[in-house]
Amino acid sequence: MTMSTTSDDGEGKTAKRQSIDFKTLGPAIALLILCIIGFLLNPAFISEGNLTNLLTRSAFIGIIAVGATFVITAGGIDLSVGSMAAAIAGVMIIVMNNAVETLGTGVPTVLLGCGIAVLLGIGAGWINGALTTKGKIEAFIVTLGTMGIYRSLVTYFADGGTLSLNFDIRGTYRPVYYDSFLGLPFPVWVFIGVAICGWLLLNRTAFGRYCTAIGSNEAVAKYSAINVDRVKTLTYIIQGLCVSFATIIYVPRLGSASASTGVLWELEAIAAVIIGGTVLKGGYGRIGGTILGALILTTIGNILNFTDMISNYLNGTMQGLIIIVAVLLQRSDWKLGKN
Amino acid sequence: MTMSTTSDDGEGKTAKRQSIDFKTLGPAIALLILCIIGFLLNPAFISEGNLTNLLTRSAFIGIIAVGATFVITAGGIDLSVGSMAAAIAGVMIIVMNNAVETLGTGVPTVLLGCGIAVLLGIGAGWINGALTTKGKIEAFIVTLGTMGIYRSLVTYFADGGTLSLNFDIRGTYRPVYYDSFLGLPFPVWVFIGVAICGWLLLNRTAFGRYCTAIGSNEAVAKYSAINVDRVKTLTYIIQGLCVSFATIIYVPRLGSASASTGVLWELEAIAAVIIGGTVLKGGYGRIGGTILGALILTTIGNILNFTDMISNYLNGTMQGLIIIVAVLLQRSDWKLGKN
Amino acid sequence: MSMDVSASVAIIEAVNISKSFGPVPVLFSVSMDVRPGEVHALIGENGAGKSTLMKILSGFHDPTSGQIRLDGKQTPLPPNGAAEQLGIVLIHQELNLAEQMTVEENVFLGREIRTNGFLDRAAMRAEVQKYLDEIGLDILPTDRISKLTIAQKQMVEIVKAVSRKARILIMDEPTAVLTEEETEVFFRQVRKLKESGVGIVFVSHKLNEVKAIADRVTILRDGQWIDTRPSRDLTPDTMAQMMVGRELSDLYPPMHEADVDAQKVLEVRNLTAPGVDNVSFDLRKGEILGFSGLVGSGRTAVFEAICGLSPMESGEVLLFGKDVSNMSVAEARDAGLAYLTKDRKEKGLLLDKRMRPNLTLFALPKFVRNLTIDRNAEEDALKRAIRRFDVRSRDADITVGKLSGGNQQKLLLAKVMECDPKIVIIDEPTRGIDVGTKQQIYHFIAALAAEGVSVVVISSEMPEIIGTCHRVVVMREGHITGILTGDHINENEIMRYAAGLKREELH
Amino acid sequence: DEKIKIGVSYPTPTHAWAAGMNWHAEQAEKRLEKLYPDVDLILVNSPDPGAQASALEDLVSVHQIDALVVLPFESEPLTDPVLNVKKSGAWITVVDRGLSQPGIEDLYVAGNNPELGRVSAQYMKGRLKDGDNIVVLRGIPTVIDNERFDAFMAEIEGSGINVLDHKHANWNRDDGFEVMQDFLSRFPDIDAVWAQDDDIAIGVVAALKQAGRDGNGMFVVGGAGMKEIIKGIMDGDELIPVDVLYPPAMIATAMDATVNAFKSNGPVAGRYILGATLITRENAESYYFPDSPF
Ligand SMILES: Nc1ncnc2c1ncn2[C@@H]1O[C@H](COP(=O)(O)OP(=O)(O)OP(=O)(O)O)[C@@H](O)[C@H]1O
Ligand SMILES: Nc1ncnc2c1ncn2[C@@H]1O[C@H](COP(=O)(O)OP(=O)(O)OP(=O)(O)O)[C@@H](O)[C@H]1O
Ligand SMILES: [Mg+2]
Ligand SMILES: [Mg+2]
């Protein structure tokens, strides 16, 4: 059994090579193993209820991670997504609560909130993008800065406490998180939609090709008539938009936002992206892998809630070990590729 | 007043170009401006006591950031340093408390603790390095994993609470943090020592050049018969060692370690490195800049404690803005290497 | 000048070397040897396997079968350049320098001079300075590589190799990016080394150079060893014939007179930009305009400014009569103006991607149907380009970085032509290209011009300029010193303008 | 099996008070499971509100719990998730942080945050005089912190005691130390410190000692009831002479009561508000648990 070693853009027909591509299948295998472990620990793992919960939970991180795949593929990084989600959720709630008097507690108010969320996401993404490209500051620093800023803004808006959505609006908005369509909860549908759009955008459009080219070699991209600054800024805007979508389905879940909303989501999102096989230095992105990465992360958390064999304090240890092993698995045939 | 513009380590006769080198002076100017603002807010800012506090506080992040400069220069990243510090502090305390019966509460016990810290730092660094180089896993994922592992281990050791050093040992160990030599507290001396060693190592030894070469172009380094894996592993070991030193001066301060020890130190350390002018993608490192970066970060926190003009909740906003502006300042003539 | 080397024993011998990359064979039982004090040239078409053989000779690749003998003893070479300890030094075809580091740091990378564990930087700088002075290179040991021109980088590579006290010095196309003067300087170094008994292997597509410097010549064709002969028995023409396997007709196509009344497609007036000082010229439809000058004379800078790759400071650019000053690269492309960079590795190709995405990257909007990329159209374009430009890759699925240097250059040309430009600027069109293909490219340029495309050829190879261009612009230190036509286009005249000995009043 | 399954969900202990709570919960689990073999308590902790909501879902879908004892990370975000548990038919006991919608829980057990602030302020008023200066170190910006702080300020109001400034020290020793260092550089005259929490108080004391400003009747009031602090009070520490109780053991109280809801025939539902007792040298002994991590 021979294995392919291309670290290529994963398109092209590689039919002639008959083999298991660990780079591509790695995340899938890791997820499968996790599911088997989950089932062995407790057969209820594969109950419909649990699987639905799992998918729904993955939706947040998954949607954000789809955006992160673009940013990372184009050679950037965005650390601000968690705080951005908190800030957007906060503003959304404030706006909707204030709109009750004029618009009532029905659908228009919710739509207004969602509209605001989308605008804020685009705006926040644009700020990150512009500071990185026009300001020529390293993305790491820009987004570390905006991370602090958004986080403290939400604390400020909430006056240190929690912003909560008006209870009547909650009634209108709740179904967005809790209801299902064809057996799948709405957040899962949104996730699927975002994933498909993301996949098409990255793999089937010129824009996606440009992201990859920029991440691979910025100078070449520039000489190939690509407007590097614009494409990079757009990746941040896509990231912002994904954060908006995640927030729109997050808010009806808990109906509130506070300084602790979305803490560490950035690391989870980036971890999902990289577990999925995207290269952190840019130039190679995989939306499918990202989705699997998000599912893997959620499943780890889910499994750890399934058993009390392990001290609660050691959850982090298990999580860390599983992540490392999952990636080790897919990197296991890398050696062959090198020279 | 003329200054050289080379992005050089400030040597070389570059008399031909006459202008202000923001890249090198940027962090220094930013620090100066911050100090002026501090003084204007409250003249007590420049009191000896406050300046000493500032320097001593910078020591932790500064020492860790010196290590991070090596890792980043060689193209890596280490997110585990904060948790590593917590875990090392925890084990140190446990070991010292247990050694009281056999070694007493005097200097031998403290030395034992320090020895253990150094060994653990080296070991933890080696693990990160080996997983990155031999395991071929992205440094981001490896150290995200070990970050979770160390953090949860310290929580486990402390049973979720706080590990406290035996009160009698504390008496012996206290001076390491609180006493001074020639007017400067010991931690500051350690900081100076680490900074000088780091500077020499990076700028005056072959090892330093190898780090830069690897970060700049791994293939070139490899083709120059440099043992890339060993050098990279060594950068993580240096990072681990720096974390040990930081921990050794941290523990006598409050004599305790808990799950919240060292949270977010990794981001602060990386921010210090980048504010100081080191390039996140590797290939260009500046120890002097890193020191300034650490001082800048500490000063921002200090200044915010010196005024009540700004809502407490907005501290993060101020911090983020100042970081971005500080870097913007030095990037203003950034173009250099690119085309 | 060639000493009698037939008697001496080989330092290094490759015996029946075969090499396959995965299932794809590249070399078939090739043998060659290098004796002390000889220059052994290796020639062959693009993709013949020269670089691969050189890498095997220096330990960077393992042969699939066959052996390497060092001083008559079979020796497995250590990997990754560690063979340097055995006295074997390779200058890679692709530049191999750490961009952010200085000249001195690069030259001494991996074998720094130390005293007491610390670097002796003064000693290293002095040493590097000595070499720089020796070859007359006007850069400082403390200059960063990223600031140097390609030619300067190549010279740094040579300094790096020369300073390594090699017994065997293997150089893969060291002169591809050098001008004749620089090549002369370089050859002086080579002769010196030769006298001290170093065995030198030299790969080049410039057959005149091979004739001038080599003692023996080995010819490869499609991975097969064809012959090894003393160079005195060969002429450039016979070499070319043996490489290509057939007789080559005229290298340059017959020149069609340009229509002097044709429409002006590009007018540049008083252009000033980084490295460019008040430059004015016109380009007519169907014309081939040469740009000549010494390295660093600003030819590249002119067109980078025109095409939106670097900012213009003043002046104006008229494209088909419309003012297009400060347009973006994409606007230039859409207006029919395309620039082919001379730096294929850093600015031309995505080395970690395959041929298809590279080919279509520049003209990608053309391949978009219903918002998505039409992959079938891309595949068709690739098939066409491979045929049209004779891109040879034994495995169509490899990443572009693994293509042979010349084939990368062809792919780059194909990439730029993919947008069907009306004006194409080709910077060093035949860098690293074998004679056979060179001929094809010159004919291709002539055919383009005949179809009405205007071509700018920037080249440091004088014969190329003279053989293909209708008019020649000569530059020096950022400004134009002369514009030559007809009989004035000859080596002497160009040199005098380029060296600043002569200057035309242009307006 | 027919075991009575009771889920117990609370935030992951990241500071000593929560660790103490975790300890008391584990002690109670052992004790109750031994006492009633047909009771199974399942302890889960979560690092953030979202994770806690997920954990609640898992308790229902996987463990099919009969009752839930929950100490919500935050009130607002967990109201809906707890409501969903309620809908599965489980008995709900809420600890410490009330939900934002009334009537979901069957049983409510809590400490008294405003009372903690008020008692602290009353002690300050008793020790200080008109014109004296204090500084305040607050916790992590949350509702709890606001409740304590607002009640404290309301009580201090009009007493003539000046609150020089208040900064967040995040219930953390390091932050307590650094914020206090800066307060000391900034204000030459400070007579007392309200640290609100024992962890912060430890940092504050270290800063005071370093600056040599721990004399002249200076004192620090923390809160919660950490064992080291209580030990100090028992031993007559002058710098931290009192503590205000906010007992981590309240989770055990809640677990006991929840089990009783299944085992006892007495009425259990209702609200149990624990007092914020002022711990002084006289009563310290009875609040001292040397084995607890807190
Ligand atoms: N690492 C590799 N993997 C797969 N194929 C390779 C690799 N390196 C080289 N090849 C293939 O081997 C063949 C010979 O390449 P090589 O670089 O030796 O040619 P060359 O004679 O140096 O050509 P040029 O004159 O263009 O530099 C080419 O078809 C090339 O695509
Ligand atoms: N963007 C720029 N900013 C500053 N100087 C520049 C810039 N671009 C080019 N130069 C300088 O202008 C001079 C001309 O460079 P250019 O590359 O155009 O020369 P060239 O004639 O094309 O030489 P070559 O033979 O190396 O291609 C060089 O000294 C270069 O350093
Ligand atoms: Mg070659
Ligand atoms: Mg149990």
Side-chain angles (χ1 to χ4, degrees):
Chain A
M1 182 175 79
T2 55
M3 291 154 211
S4 128
T5 55
T6 33
S7 55
D8 222 329
D9 45 2
E11 336 156 3
K13 348 151 194 171
T14 36
K16 49 175 144 168
R17 279 166 241 179
Q18 310 275 326
S19 65
I20 299 180
D21 181 354
F22 269 112
K23 182 100 187 284
T24 314
L25 284 186
I29 295 174
L31 182 58
L32 196 72
I33 294 176
L34 278 176
C35 288
I36 293 172
I37 294 175
F39 177 72
L40 293 180
L41 282 175
N42 194 329
F45 176 82
I46 52 152
S47 68
E48 196 200 316
N50 189 56
L51 291 182
T52 314
N53 283 344
L54 240 172
L55 284 173
T56 318
R57 267 178 231 165
S58 314
F60 303 128
I61 286 304
I63 292 172
I64 294 177
V66 167
T69 310
F70 284 89
V71 172
I72 293 175
T73 301
I77 194 157
D78 192 343
L79 297 175
S80 70
V81 293
S83 323
M84 197 192 290
I88 293 177
V91 176
M92 236 179 121
I93 290 173
I94 294 174
V95 169
M96 286 194 284
N97 286 351
N98 286 328
V100 170
E101 281 179 23
T102 46
L103 292 178
T105 58
V107 177
T109 306
V110 173
L111 286 181
L112 174 72
C114 297
I116 294 284
V118 167
L119 289 180
L120 287 174
I122 292 175
W126 180 81
I127 291 175
N128 281 339
L131 281 169
T132 320
T133 54
K134 301 296 169 207
K136 303 206 186 301
I137 314 179
E138 305 240 14
F140 192 94
I141 285 289
V142 168
T143 58
L144 189 66
T146 50
M147 162 173 150
I149 294 174
Y150 298 146
R151 175 76 53 212
S152 94
L153 283 180
V154 73
T155 321
Y156 180 71
F157 293 146
D159 222 352
T162 309
L163 287 161
S164 30
L165 190 58
N166 175 303
F167 261 92
D168 300 318
I169 306 175
R170 229 179 267 198
T172 319
Y173 199 177
R174 250 184 80 92
V176 173
Y177 182 84
Y178 289 98
D179 279 11
S180 296
F181 173 71
L182 298 179
L184 282 182
F186 280 123
V188 179
W189 285 111
V190 177
F191 186 20
I192 293 173
V194 169
I196 291 176
C197 292
W199 189 87
L200 286 174
L201 196 59
L202 189 62
N203 297 300
R204 288 286 177 269
T205 69
F207 174 78
R209 196 60 80 68
Y210 291 160
C211 293
T212 314
I214 290 171
S216 174
N217 185 333
E218 219 173 293
V220 172
K222 180 179 153 194
Y223 277 76
S224 303
I226 297 171
N227 188 332
V228 174
D229 282 357
R230 189 169 59 205
V231 172
K232 278 169 115 181
T233 307
L234 274 172
T235 62
Y236 288 97
I237 291 178
I238 291 174
Q239 172 72 88
L241 207 55
C242 287
V243 172
S244 302
F245 291 144
T247 311
I248 288 173
I249 55 171
Y250 173 83
V251 168
R253 181 181 188 197
L254 303 180
S256 65
S258 74
S260 66
T261 303
V263 168
L264 293 186
W265 281 9
E266 52 279 347
L267 290 185
E268 275 191 59
I270 297 170
V273 171
I274 294 174
I275 291 175
T278 296
V279 175
L280 187 63
K281 302 236 171 208
Y284 180 72
R286 300 178 48 75
I287 296 284
T290 297
I291 311 291
L292 290 174
L295 288 171
I296 289 176
L297 287 178
T298 321
T299 309
I300 295 175
N302 184 244
I303 289 182
L304 291 174
N305 279 346
F306 261 61
T307 165
D308 49 8
M309 292 194 317
I310 300 158
S311 159
N312 271 326
Y313 294 138
L314 291 179
N315 275 5
T317 305
M318 294 312 298
Q319 235 154 350
L321 284 177
I322 295 174
I323 292 175
I324 290 178
V325 170
V327 179
L328 203 55
L329 193 73
Q330 60 179 298
R331 298 294 193 269
S332 55
D333 73 337
W334 270 41
K335 275 150 264 179
L336 305 175
K338 312 259 151 171
N339 107 40
Chain B
M1 179 177 79
T2 58
M3 291 153 212
S4 116
T5 47
T6 30
S7 46
D8 220 324
D9 31 8
E11 335 143 17
K13 357 146 197 176
T14 37
K16 44 177 156 171
R17 273 153 257 171
Q18 317 267 323
S19 80
I20 297 180
D21 182 356
F22 274 111
K23 181 108 188 278
T24 313
L25 283 185
I29 295 173
L31 182 58
L32 195 72
I33 295 176
L34 278 176
C35 288
I36 294 171
I37 294 176
F39 176 73
L40 293 179
L41 281 175
N42 194 329
F45 176 81
I46 53 151
S47 66
E48 196 201 316
N50 190 54
L51 292 183
T52 314
N53 284 345
L54 242 172
L55 284 173
T56 318
R57 264 180 233 169
S58 314
F60 302 129
I61 287 304
I63 291 172
I64 294 177
V66 167
T69 310
F70 283 89
V71 172
I72 294 175
T73 301
I77 194 158
D78 191 343
L79 298 176
S80 71
V81 294
S83 322
M84 197 193 288
I88 293 178
V91 176
M92 240 179 118
I93 290 173
I94 295 174
V95 168
M96 287 194 282
N97 285 351
N98 286 329
V100 171
E101 281 178 26
T102 45
L103 292 178
T105 59
V107 177
T109 305
V110 172
L111 286 181
L112 173 74
C114 296
I116 293 284
V118 168
L119 288 181
L120 287 175
I122 292 175
W126 179 82
I127 291 175
N128 281 340
L131 281 170
T132 320
T133 55
K134 301 295 169 209
K136 304 209 184 299
I137 314 178
E138 305 239 16
F140 192 95
I141 286 289
V142 168
T143 57
L144 189 65
T146 50
M147 161 174 151
I149 294 175
Y150 299 145
R151 175 73 54 212
S152 94
L153 283 180
V154 72
T155 321
Y156 180 70
F157 294 146
D159 221 351
T162 308
L163 288 160
S164 311
L165 189 59
N166 175 302
F167 260 91
D168 301 318
I169 307 176
R170 231 180 266 196
T172 320
Y173 198 177
R174 245 184 83 90
V176 172
Y177 183 83
Y178 288 99
D179 279 11
S180 295
F181 173 70
L182 298 180
L184 283 181
F186 281 122
V188 179
W189 285 110
V190 177
F191 186 20
I192 294 175
V194 169
I196 292 177
C197 292
W199 189 86
L200 285 174
L201 196 59
L202 189 63
N203 296 300
R204 289 290 177 269
T205 69
F207 174 77
R209 283 204 179 167
Y210 296 164
C211 294
T212 314
I214 290 171
S216 178
N217 187 330
E218 213 172 303
V220 170
K222 190 173 137 193
Y223 284 178
S224 301
I226 293 172
N227 188 332
V228 173
D229 282 357
R230 191 170 58 205
V231 172
K232 279 169 120 182
T233 307
L234 274 172
T235 61
Y236 288 97
I237 291 178
I238 291 173
Q239 172 72 86
L241 207 56
C242 287
V243 173
S244 302
F245 291 145
T247 311
I248 288 173
I249 55 172
Y250 171 81
V251 168
R253 178 160 116 175
L254 297 175
S256 62
S258 74
S260 65
T261 301
V263 168
L264 293 187
W265 282 9
E266 52 281 347
L267 289 186
E268 277 191 57
I270 297 170
V273 171
I274 295 174
I275 291 175
T278 296
V279 176
L280 187 63
K281 303 237 169 202
Y284 181 71
R286 303 178 47 76
I287 296 283
T290 297
I291 310 292
L292 290 173
L295 288 171
I296 288 175
L297 287 179
T298 322
T299 309
I300 296 175
N302 182 246
I303 288 180
L304 289 172
N305 278 343
F306 260 75
T307 167
D308 50 8
M309 292 193 318
I310 300 157
S311 159
N312 276 329
Y313 299 138
L314 290 178
N315 274 4
T317 304
M318 293 312 298
Q319 235 154 350
L321 284 178
I322 295 174
I323 291 175
I324 291 177
V325 170
V327 179
L328 203 55
L329 193 72
Q330 62 179 298
R331 294 298 190 267
S332 48
D333 74 339
W334 214 157
K335 277 148 258 177
L336 94 154
K338 316 258 151 175
N339 92 312
Chain C
M1 65 162 222
S2 68
M3 60 166 103
D4 185 40
V5 289
S6 51
S8 46
V9 194
I11 313 179
I12 195 166
E13 264 178 290
V15 185
N16 298 334
I17 296 285
S18 298
K19 174 73 183 173
S20 307
F21 290 105
V24 184
V26 170
L27 289 176
F28 305 89
S29 191
V30 173
S31 300
M32 95 179 257
D33 63 338
V34 187
R35 299 167 191 165
E38 80 159 339
V39 175
H40 192 148
L42 181 64
I43 60 173
E45 286 180 290
N46 295 131
K50 304 179 295 295
S51 299
T52 308
L53 181 59
M54 297 301 90
K55 285 183 186 159
I56 290 172
L57 266 184
S58 49
F60 286 93
H61 282 328
D62 283 328
T64 309
S65 69
Q67 43 175 271
I68 301 290
R69 295 206 190 124
L70 201 59
D71 297 317
K73 279 195 298 287
Q74 182 184 348
T75 315
L77 296 178
N80 294 333
E84 207 181 300
Q85 259 97 54
L86 303 172
I88 306 170
V89 173
L90 171 70
I91 301 186
H92 291 261
Q93 178 173 14
E94 300 303 342
L95 290 170
N96 201 35
L97 299 167
E99 290 277 320
Q100 284 117 305
M101 298 176 80
T102 65
V103 172
E104 172 238 333
E105 287 169 344
N106 268 285
V107 168
F108 278 97
L109 192 58
R111 44 174 208 120
E112 290 77 6
I113 302 176
R114 290 170 238 196
T115 43
N116 307 324
F118 288 105
L119 297 171
D120 188 344
R121 300 192 310 156
M124 289 190 282
R125 279 197 196 144
E127 183 98 337
V128 171
Q129 190 63 57
K130 195 186 84 200
Y131 283 109
L132 292 177
D133 292 343
E134 216 164 283
I135 63 173
L137 194 56
D138 180 27
I139 56 174
L140 294 172
T142 49
D143 282 342
R144 272 177 209 278
I145 298 296
S146 56
K147 289 194 311 200
L148 305 183
T149 65
I150 299 189
Q152 287 171 329
K153 288 179 191 172
Q154 185 66 56
M155 292 303 264
V156 172
E157 282 272 21
I158 289 164
V159 167
K160 185 171 161 184
V162 166
S163 70
R164 297 211 162 192
K165 315 276 179 279
R167 293 180 65 207
I168 304 274
L169 181 55
I170 303 171
M171 296 182 283
D172 198 350
E173 300 196 33
T175 59
V177 297
L178 301 186
T179 57
E180 279 169 44
E181 292 89 293
E182 287 165 319
T183 305
E184 218 18 76
V185 173
F186 165 61
F187 280 176
R188 269 210 305 279
Q189 298 295 315
V190 170
R191 292 201 184 94
K192 238 203 229 156
L193 289 170
K194 205 174 120 152
E195 275 155 29
S196 63
V198 177
I200 291 161
V201 185
F202 173 66
V203 179
S204 177
H205 289 295
K206 298 180 178 174
L207 301 178
N208 297 328
E209 291 176 359
V210 171
K211 175 70 189 159
I213 192 88
D215 299 303
R216 289 194 297 160
V217 179
T218 291
I219 297 129
L220 285 185
R221 194 193 306 147
D222 287 337
Q224 315 265 8
W225 177 85
I226 299 298
D227 204 351
T228 301
R229 288 211 207 157
S231 80
R232 57 177 174 266
D233 300 351
L234 294 166
T235 64
D237 280 344
T238 48
M239 288 185 216
Q241 197 180 326
M242 290 173 84
M243 276 167 58
V244 186
R246 64 185 155 87
E247 191 127 2
L248 280 179
S249 53
D250 263 352
L251 192 54
Y252 300 105
M255 181 98 63
H256 292 285
E257 276 310 307
D259 178 1
V260 286
D261 296 324
Q263 173 206 357
K264 285 182 184 173
V265 290
L266 178 68
E267 297 162 74
V268 176
R269 301 274 163 263
N270 306 100
L271 174 70
T272 303
V276 181
D277 173 19
N278 194 22
V279 161
S280 307
F281 66 92
D282 305 324
L283 177 67
R284 289 179 188 276
K285 184 169 155 69
E287 182 183 31
I288 305 175
L289 179 64
F291 264 72
S292 193
L294 301 178
V295 169
S297 56
R299 297 162 296 174
T300 299
V302 167
F303 288 96
E304 292 199 333
I306 293 173
C307 296
L309 288 157
S310 68
M312 283 173 57
E313 280 156 18
S314 67
E316 60 177 358
V317 176
L318 301 181
L319 193 61
F320 305 109
K322 272 209 299 284
D323 188 346
V324 292
S325 307
N326 271 320
M327 61 187 162
S328 72
V329 191
E331 283 161 0
R333 174 200 60 200
D334 296 340
L337 178 65
Y339 168 75
L340 186 153
T341 174
K342 64 188 167 194
D343 188 352
R344 63 171 175 255
K345 194 178 170 194
E346 294 291 333
K347 295 168 182 164
L349 296 171
L350 300 171
L351 299 178
D352 60 346
K353 300 279 176 258
R354 281 181 254 181
M355 286 200 274
R356 182 168 50 87
N358 267 293
L359 176 74
T360 57
L361 192 61
F362 185 53
L364 202 56
K366 194 176 100 179
F367 293 93
V368 175
R369 307 245 185 302
N370 304 325
L371 297 175
T372 58
I373 297 174
D374 183 342
R375 299 179 157 224
N376 294 328
E378 273 190 294
E379 283 298 341
D380 294 344
L382 181 59
K383 283 198 199 104
R384 245 184 295 120
I386 287 179
R387 246 184 296 117
R388 188 173 175 205
F389 295 92
D390 190 25
V391 182
R392 294 190 206 171
S393 138
R394 280 167 225 190
D395 177 354
D397 265 348
I398 51 173
T399 55
V400 164
K402 290 176 181 164
L403 283 180
S404 83
N407 283 304
Q408 290 177 9
Q409 185 69 25
K410 294 186 226 169
L411 181 67
L412 184 56
L413 186 56
K415 167 182 166 180
V416 170
M417 293 313 298
E418 200 55 53
C419 73
D420 302 317
K422 298 196 202 64
I423 303 173
V424 58
I425 299 130
I426 312 181
D427 205 346
E428 305 292 356
T430 59
R431 182 166 277 177
I433 292 224
D434 70 51
V435 266
T437 315
K438 239 181 204 173
Q439 185 195 32
Q440 291 171 20
I441 288 179
Y442 296 144
H443 283 264
F444 175 75
I445 290 174
L448 279 180
E451 285 166 24
V453 175
S454 311
V455 185
V456 172
V457 175
I458 305 176
S459 175
S460 304
E461 287 191 47
M462 208 79 81
E464 188 164 281
I465 293 273
I466 297 167
T468 53
C469 298
H470 297 127
R471 274 195 307 149
V472 176
V473 176
V474 187
M475 288 189 68
R476 176 177 171 77
E477 290 175 350
H479 50 260
I480 294 180
T481 50
I483 297 180
L484 313 178
T485 47
D487 292 343
H488 295 284
I489 304 180
N490 62 56
E491 209 151 314
N492 249 330
E493 197 75 344
I494 295 178
M495 268 323 295
R496 284 169 55 198
Y497 281 105
L501 302 175
K502 196 165 170 187
R503 184 173 181 146
E504 196 171 279
E505 274 315 312
L506 288 164
H507 297 289
Chain D
D1 53 59
E2 290 304 298
K3 279 195 171 187
I4 301 166
K5 289 194 167 182
I6 302 176
V8 183
S9 163
Y10 47 87
T12 303
T14 50
H15 53 106
W17 185 86
M21 178 198 59
N22 182 61
W23 183 80
H24 284 290
E26 283 172 354
Q27 297 307 109
E29 180 193 16
K30 277 190 219 126
R31 180 166 49 77
L32 289 167
E33 283 182 355
K34 199 160 147 213
L35 196 58
Y36 304 107
D38 63 334
V39 168
D40 183 9
L41 289 149
I42 301 143
L43 271 48
V44 235
N45 62 48
S46 317
D48 60 70
Q52 192 172 23
S54 302
L56 295 187
E57 288 170 1
D58 291 343
L59 283 173
V60 174
S61 68
V62 179
H63 295 287
Q64 281 143 11
I65 49 170
D66 303 296
L68 173 70
V69 177
V70 58
L71 194 160
F73 218 102
E74 281 172 31
S75 312
E76 293 293 338
L78 285 149
T79 300
D80 266 354
V82 174
L83 188 60
N84 281 339
V85 180
K86 173 86 178 167
K87 283 182 187 154
S88 76
W91 166 282
I92 306 288
T93 301
V94 174
V95 188
D96 194 28
R97 286 157 222 183
L99 300 176
S100 55
Q101 214 182 340
I104 298 173
E105 71 273 10
D106 299 283
L107 175 64
Y108 180 59
V109 179
N112 194 333
N113 283 310
E115 186 69 12
L116 184 142
R118 212 170 299 124
V119 169
S120 307
Q122 278 157 359
Y123 180 77
M124 290 275 175
K125 285 202 290 191
R127 291 260 323 243
L128 298 173
K129 55 186 189 306
D130 198 3
D132 278 351
N133 298 321
I134 62 170
V135 289
V136 174
L137 289 90
R138 305 177 56 172
I140 295 171
T142 48
V143 177
I144 299 174
D145 177 67
N146 287 348
E147 285 177 356
R148 292 180 181 179
F149 178 73
D150 292 344
F152 180 89
M153 293 303 278
E155 186 70 29
I156 283 287
E157 176 94 48
S159 66
I161 297 171
N162 303 317
V163 177
L164 295 173
D165 197 5
H166 55 94
K167 294 275 176 208
H168 290 280
N170 307 320
W171 293 320
N172 176 309
R173 294 181 186 194
D174 290 317
D175 292 350
F177 181 77
E178 292 185 0
V179 172
M180 195 61 211
Q181 273 191 331
D182 290 345
F183 276 156
L184 289 170
S185 304
R186 195 173 144 198
F187 303 115
D189 179 22
I190 300 174
D191 299 292
V193 182
W194 184 45
Q196 199 204 81
D197 170 82
D198 292 337
D199 268 317
I200 299 179
I202 287 175
V204 168
V205 167
L208 288 172
K209 287 193 171 148
Q210 182 198 27
R213 286 174 57 178
D214 51 341
N216 288 339
M218 163 72 84
F219 65 94
V220 181
V221 178
M226 183 187 294
K227 65 179 179 190
E228 287 87 355
I229 301 285
I230 294 181
K231 184 77 172 41
I233 294 169
M234 284 158 64
D235 298 345
D237 187 346
E238 303 221 322
L239 214 44
I240 307 185
V242 293
D243 202 4
V244 184
L245 189 65
Y246 196 78
M250 65 176 76
I251 189 97
T253 314
M255 287 161 72
D256 279 331
T258 307
V259 172
N260 274 339
F262 291 86
K263 293 290 174 190
S264 147
N265 46 10
V268 171
R271 295 171 63 82
Y272 297 58
I273 305 300
L274 308 171
T277 319
L278 185 71
I279 303 174
T280 60
R281 194 162 181 183
E282 287 68 48
N283 64 0
E285 190 111 35
S286 48
Y287 300 97
Y288 185 55
F289 300 95
D291 293 335
S292 161
F294 185 68

